[in-house]
Amino acid sequence: MPSSQDAVATPKAGQPIALITGASTGIGYELALLLARDGYRLVLVSRDPARLEAAAVSLRREVPGAVVETRTADLADPEETHAACAFAAGLAPDILINNAGFGGYGPFARSSVAEEQAMIATNITALTLLAKAVLPAMLERGSGRMLNVGSTASFAPGPFSAVYAATKAYVLSLSEALSEETRGSGVTVTALCPGPTHTRFADRASIGGTRAFNGPIADARSVAAEGYAALMAGKPVVVTGLVNKLLIFGARLLPRTLVARISRRELTPPSGS
Ligand SMILES: NC(=O)c1ccc[n+]([C@@H]2O[C@H](COP(=O)([O-])OP(=O)(O)OC[C@H]3O[C@@H](n4cnc5c(N)ncnc54)[C@H](OP(=O)(O)O)[C@@H]3O)[C@@H](O)[C@H]2O)c1
């Protein structure tokens, strides 16, 4: 797991540390920017070294004096995840943002097993192991915050994106459980659940042609701002955007079979059945 130390600014004594996975682009980058503005020393983790370095350069430019360190890790890879967890445990960050993740699209019977194993490893296994790596030190200190990025897909089955939706249901369930386990300890755990958002996500998941991504789409900056406010307030769950909040409220009241039907419609092309 190679690393590049910020060449310009060095950490100040006592400077709080935030570890952010998937910070090279999209929602993770915007969360990193908010943390930099609030004076956190940033440690960014993601796969692609060039995108990661570009993000670090951009953050240092947007926030002069920001302390930004990068570490490449493919969180779909068990050994690299193990190394990232050992690093995270040693770092003992004040904030962990478990944001790295990706989706997929297509009928379950024909979708790629390798892709779905990588998705489960990244969205579920790495997120869980990183949470486990940092929580003991947070609890011992009696302070710390964790943000796990779920989705509106956390609340509904996802026909044609079945494995992705299932991974995000896991993220919500784990986060809600940890939020309750840590209640009163000084440590908070928050699940951030965005709806469709303009990032590289839709292209990577090949999901851009669906109804869900052909309606109103949020921007990563506003999603991150809502998530950041909830993180700092220690809220257990935040669904971003008014329309998504209303949809999720409705989904909680309707029978699951009906929710799955509506979800199926959203996950087919506007011209599809
Ligand atoms: N955009 C949406 O519509 C939407 C909606 C709901 C939830 N979300 C969730 O929001 C989170 C952030 O996604 P985004 O929308 O900001 O998409 P994005 O722009 O594609 O960013 C994803 C980030 O995760 C990193 N990542 C992906 N796979 C990784 C792996 N195996 N190991 C390490 N890092 C990995 C990427 O790094 P590399 O560039 O190095 O691959 C990138 O930094 C994800 O968990 C996603 O599921 C997104």
Side-chain angles (χ1 to χ4, degrees):
M1 196 166 61
S3 71
S4 88
Q5 203 70 39
D6 180 19
V8 185
T10 47
K12 298 171 195 73
Q15 187 174 14
I17 301 171
L19 176 64
I20 308 133
T21 69
S24 58
T25 59
I27 298 166
Y29 175 86
E30 296 296 337
L31 285 164
L33 184 56
L34 294 168
L35 286 157
R37 287 193 178 130
D38 277 354
Y40 283 83
R41 170 185 160 199
L42 306 182
V43 183
L44 318 180
V45 178
S46 63
R47 258 182 340 167
D48 184 277
R51 269 198 293 272
L52 197 50
E53 197 45 43
V57 168
S58 173
L59 285 164
R60 291 178 195 126
R61 202 173 42 232
E62 292 215 49
V63 185
V67 180
V68 188
E69 186 184 335
T70 63
R71 298 190 81 88
T72 56
D74 182 352
L75 296 174
D77 180 280
E79 280 177 24
E80 293 193 29
T81 298
H82 180 74
C85 288
F87 169 75
L91 185 71
D94 298 273
I95 291 184
L96 168 67
I97 300 202
N98 259 323
N99 162 77
F102 66 98
Y105 185 64
F108 178 77
R110 293 206 298 273
S111 48
S112 156
V113 173
E115 187 74 359
E116 285 167 350
Q117 280 180 321
M119 198 186 293
I120 292 167
T122 306
N123 298 7
I124 292 183
T125 309
L127 176 141
T128 307
L129 296 180
L130 280 164
K132 221 178 231 311
V134 304
L135 254 183
M138 286 182 177
L139 290 169
E140 203 168 305
R141 273 199 315 264
S143 71
R145 298 187 187 282
M146 189 187 304
L147 186 72
N148 295 327
V149 180
S151 167
T152 46
S154 299
F155 298 90
F160 308 114
S161 191
V163 173
Y164 175 69
T167 67
K168 292 301 181 180
Y170 175 95
V171 172
L172 177 63
S173 176
L174 181 81
S175 304
E176 288 180 311
L178 296 186
S179 171
E180 179 56 27
E181 268 191 43
T182 55
R183 189 163 50 85
S185 69
V187 176
T188 62
V189 179
T190 302
L192 166 60
C193 298
T197 307
H198 276 299
T199 65
R200 292 176 52 249
F201 174 87
D203 276 352
R204 187 173 178 198
S206 306
I207 206 168
T210 58
R211 275 195 180 85
F213 278 87
N214 282 274
I217 299 186
D219 62 279
R221 190 153 287 193
S222 60
V223 167
E226 237 185 295
Y228 192 65
L231 169 73
M232 291 310 186
K235 288 189 181 160
V237 182
V238 58
V239 176
T240 58
L242 181 61
V243 172
N244 292 324
K245 283 182 179 67
L246 292 171
L247 284 172
I248 296 313
F249 180 74
R252 283 178 150 155
L253 301 177
L254 293 172
R256 290 286 280 180
T257 45
L258 185 54
V259 173
R261 294 265 169 87
I262 295 167
S263 204
R264 175 187 182 132
R265 189 176 177 279
E266 285 300 300
L267 290 168
T268 46
S271 55
S273 56

